[in-house]
Amino acid sequence: MTSIDSNELVLNMGPQHPSTHGVLRIVLKLDGERVKSTECVIGYLHRGVEKIAENRTYVQFAPYVDRMDYLAAVSNGLGYCLAVEKLMAAVAPPRAQAVRVILTELNRIASHLLWLGTHALDIGAITPLFYTLREREEVLKIFENYCGARLTTHAFRIGGLQYELYEGFEQQVNTFCDQFPGKIDEYEELLSGNRIWRERLRGVGVIDAATCKRYGVTGPMLRAAGVPWDLRKAQPYSGYEQYEFDVPTRTGGDTLDRYFVRLDEMRQSVRIVRQAVAKIPTGPIMAKIAKVIKPPVGEAYVSIEAPKGELGYFIVSDGTTHPYRLRVRPPSFVNLQALPHMAKGALVADVVAIIGTIDIVLGEVDR
Amino acid sequence: MAEEPKPAKAPVVMATVAWDGAIPELLREHLGGSVLDTLLYLDQPFAVLTLAAMLPALDLLHAEADFDYLVDITAVDYPKREPRFELIYIVYSHSRNERVRLKAQLPVDQNPLSAVPIFLGANWLEREVFDMFGIEFAGHPDLRRILMPEEWSGFPLRKDYGITQMDNRWVRNNLGIESGQ
């Protein structure tokens, strides 16, 4: 036991606290209003996804991945399908790949929109939430029309897609793409030029590129620190190499820069969706794969650029219908690890901003 | 596509091919016989090392080949094998755009060294491996359970841990019920 410092105040934040975005608990050690150290206590939402996987067939497990990062269920599904397809040496047909890209990018927009609304809410700006949820609704409607579900979509199947596109899909997506960039400008009008917003976020939760790499931080956090690393560019999958888009970066590595990076990413996603929807190839939507999915003995690690960073699946197959071991490499879990570094010396109110800017989903942190 | 022949009976071992190149050479040059194999499976390279060579290999790749990003640490339990566990590290190099897996066999009574001195991000990843498999990393700064409750007994991702199994004593004491089901 160390002796108790009378100047030190220990404050428990969460797990039932709205600004922790779920059931994150943070033990703050404070000197007045300054944060001396933070400790994350996680696991409140642990469901044992990896254990469940070992007791389900490959097909049965697919819906479970939607429930990790439930704000980006489509991305989770894509990563899982790609990983199993890799093990089986199968490739989804071009039409399926294009539809996958469209839905995954729309999902990135939906995920970033919810992040933006709640993050602004944490900071004290209530209005943006209503606008972002309004636009997110349009994306969710597309999901609903396509596969019947809005949140836990289970949109893809191993080997391709279950459903053909519905009538009017292209038009609905195009309408969204036409309107949405203007909406981003609206958010910018509300926030980017707002002096309170800028001064509230500038220089808060700074993390530089070298520290990001030491922690294994990926996604918008890494890009806001100046590293133009995006798996869609670095190791393209599902036909991303066909589309033109930029990897937005900033150099400050603070909360404001992460905000700008995510806004720019939404614009780039619109760009990708437009290109993809303009030339959806015709043809089958399902690869010719066996009815019973039994990958040969082996192992593979496949990762994608999820809205929050690198989402990886490491699967070990023993040649049966069940994965022998399935490991999920969650971006939120790894990114959250940098919180104590980012919050050191900050004010308590800044901790709220920093949690928001990491963009965690506890379903994925705890799995 | 030509008519596919009837699929042969699936092989019971991984159909790997040899992995040659700069990285395997670097590993062999510095670690010699500790590098048991360097292989490719589905175009993904991995090196099989002795347990003692794992940390030096990570250090080497980090320092000499710019593998600056530790993607993941995980383990696989093979209860019928000896040694029982397989420990897997995935590292990535931003400048090379290459991803490499390092694997080592781990007996149940041995403690691997912690990779935290090389990669800060190893901290939580190793805690999770400890939490799920009971593998203790020597020299880890703060080796506690991370996802399961701290007083929990048993390691859920071991193969001999049942899917509905739980720590009945913990559940009784903390939730006030006989069973969590």
Side-chain angles (χ1 to χ4, degrees):
Chain A
M1 282 293 284
T2 47
S3 63
I4 296 167
D5 182 353
S6 58
N7 289 321
E8 188 179 85
L9 175 71
V10 178
L11 185 71
N12 244 312
M13 203 164 139
Q16 293 99 343
H17 189 286
S19 79
T20 60
H21 294 246
V23 282
L24 171 66
R25 181 176 147 219
I26 301 172
V27 183
L28 295 167
K29 290 201 174 130
L30 304 174
D31 179 10
E33 188 75 359
R34 291 271 164 202
V35 176
K36 285 169 76 178
S37 72
T38 42
E39 190 203 331
C40 297
V41 183
I42 59 173
Y44 291 94
L45 210 56
H46 179 60
R47 294 150 294 177
V49 168
E50 293 172 14
K51 186 76 177 177
I52 293 171
E54 293 172 9
N55 291 274
R56 295 282 179 276
T57 66
Y58 286 93
V59 177
Q60 282 174 336
F61 181 66
Y64 283 89
V65 299
D66 291 359
R67 282 135 183 98
M68 292 186 299
D69 180 357
Y70 40 78
L71 299 179
V74 181
S75 294
N76 289 337
L78 177 64
Y80 177 68
C81 290
L82 288 174
V84 180
E85 285 162 14
K86 175 93 182 168
L87 272 177
M88 300 168 66
V91 180
R95 183 173 174 81
Q97 291 195 0
V99 174
R100 283 177 171 187
V101 167
I102 296 168
L103 293 178
T104 311
E105 288 309 312
L106 287 174
N107 199 182
R108 185 184 316 276
I109 293 173
S111 170
H112 281 6
L113 279 176
L114 196 96
W115 162 80
L116 177 62
T118 51
H119 182 48
L121 192 68
D122 288 344
I123 307 294
I126 294 169
T127 320
L129 180 71
F130 302 116
Y131 291 118
T132 58
L133 288 187
R134 183 185 65 188
E135 270 73 75
R136 181 169 173 262
E137 181 66 23
E138 297 306 315
V139 176
L140 297 188
K141 274 183 193 159
I142 295 172
F143 292 163
E144 190 177 7
N145 287 341
Y146 176 68
C147 60
R150 291 157 56 86
L151 207 61
T152 47
T153 49
H154 192 202
F156 308 141
R157 298 294 184 276
I158 296 160
L161 305 169
Q162 167 95 56
Y163 311 109
E164 239 323 324
L165 292 178
Y166 60 90
E167 207 167 304
F169 172 82
E170 286 94 339
Q171 199 201 340
Q172 198 178 1
V173 172
N174 275 327
T175 311
F176 175 78
C177 288
D178 290 340
Q179 291 171 351
F180 186 58
K183 311 283 186 190
I184 304 178
D185 297 340
E186 268 181 42
Y187 312 147
E188 289 239 56
E189 263 173 51
L190 280 170
L191 296 171
S192 301
N194 184 324
R195 206 176 133 193
I196 303 173
W197 178 258
R198 293 187 81 96
E199 293 193 359
R200 182 71 182 77
L201 300 185
R202 178 56 81 199
V204 169
V206 179
I207 183 163
D208 60 29
T211 316
C212 277
K213 286 178 183 169
R214 292 185 73 201
Y215 277 108
V217 166
T218 49
M221 284 176 72
L222 180 65
R223 292 191 281 274
V227 183
W229 187 74
D230 187 318
L231 272 171
R232 292 174 294 174
K233 285 273 191 210
Q235 302 184 335
Y237 50 88
S238 199
Y240 268 106
E241 65 278 2
Q242 307 163 36
Y243 309 112
E244 263 181 44
F245 64 101
D246 301 324
V247 178
T249 54
R250 287 287 193 280
T251 50
D254 62 2
T255 304
L256 188 63
D257 279 349
R258 285 187 282 273
Y259 157 78
F260 283 126
V261 162
R262 289 199 179 98
L263 281 192
D264 289 347
E265 280 187 22
M266 290 199 277
R267 290 198 177 93
Q268 295 302 326
S269 291
V270 171
R271 234 176 116 187
I272 298 170
V273 171
R274 268 188 201 286
Q275 295 170 49
V277 93
K279 48 166 192 183
I280 303 177
T282 51
I285 53 168
M286 199 65 182
K288 286 202 175 73
I289 54 167
K291 276 230 165 60
V292 179
I293 290 176
K294 258 180 165 177
V297 176
E299 57 185 44
Y301 175 84
V302 175
S303 60
I304 63 160
E305 186 72 32
K308 289 153 185 82
E310 175 174 351
L311 169 71
Y313 290 88
F314 176 69
I315 306 180
V316 180
S317 166
D318 58 353
T320 64
T321 52
H322 296 52
Y324 186 77
R325 168 95 174 95
L326 187 146
R327 158 77 181 161
V328 184
R329 189 270 180 203
S332 291
F333 177 82
V334 180
N335 291 357
L336 182 62
Q337 215 183 151
L339 178 81
H341 172 83
M342 294 162 76
K344 202 169 169 64
L347 301 171
V348 177
D350 290 342
V351 174
V352 173
I354 296 169
I355 297 168
T357 191
I358 299 178
D359 191 17
I360 46 165
V361 163
L362 268 297
E364 182 179 75
V365 174
D366 295 344
R367 279 155 291 138
Chain B
M1 215 160 58
E3 194 66 26
E4 276 178 344
K6 277 264 181 248
K9 207 167 183 300
V12 286
V13 289
M14 252 200 297
T16 51
V17 293
W19 172 38
D20 305 305
I23 303 295
E25 267 173 35
L26 180 77
L27 286 170
R28 286 224 162 78
E29 184 192 329
H30 286 82
L31 301 167
S34 306
V35 183
L36 304 176
D37 237 334
T38 54
L39 299 165
L40 277 171
Y41 181 69
L42 298 170
D43 296 328
Q44 298 186 340
F46 64 93
V48 186
L49 309 168
T50 62
L51 185 63
M54 183 56 87
L55 255 271
L58 284 172
D59 203 15
L60 180 71
L61 289 180
H62 180 248
E64 302 287 329
D66 201 23
F67 279 81
D68 48 358
Y69 163 31
L70 175 72
V71 181
D72 204 1
I73 303 176
T74 191
V76 185
D77 181 17
Y78 297 98
K80 290 188 186 126
R81 281 193 203 166
E82 189 58 49
R84 176 169 177 174
F85 296 111
E86 192 168 79
L87 203 56
I88 295 152
Y89 293 71
I90 305 173
V91 285
Y92 176 83
S93 161
H94 283 94
S95 56
R96 292 169 174 265
N97 190 19
E98 274 181 61
R99 203 186 289 283
V100 169
R101 278 202 300 274
L102 302 176
K103 310 206 292 184
Q105 306 276 323
L106 171 70
V108 78
D109 54 355
Q110 272 194 42
N111 299 340
L113 282 173
S114 168
V116 175
I118 308 170
F119 299 102
L120 280 176
N123 190 325
W124 282 20
L125 296 170
E126 286 175 352
R127 277 178 70 184
E128 190 177 339
V129 172
F130 164 68
D131 195 357
M132 295 296 152
F133 291 93
I135 296 170
E136 292 183 28
F137 290 85
H140 188 286
D142 181 27
L143 196 68
R144 288 176 294 138
R145 283 184 183 272
I146 185 160
L147 295 177
M148 302 299 287
E150 274 186 43
E151 311 82 22
W152 196 268
S153 65
F155 301 105
L157 278 182
R158 287 190 178 187
K159 286 284 175 183
D160 50 15
Y161 197 93
I163 179 87
T164 57
Q165 189 181 334
M166 63 188 73
D167 180 353
N168 290 322
R169 195 176 46 86
W170 189 93
V171 171
R172 198 165 47 238
N173 292 346
N174 289 277
L175 305 179
I177 51 176
E178 268 311 309
S179 146
Q181 288 293 301

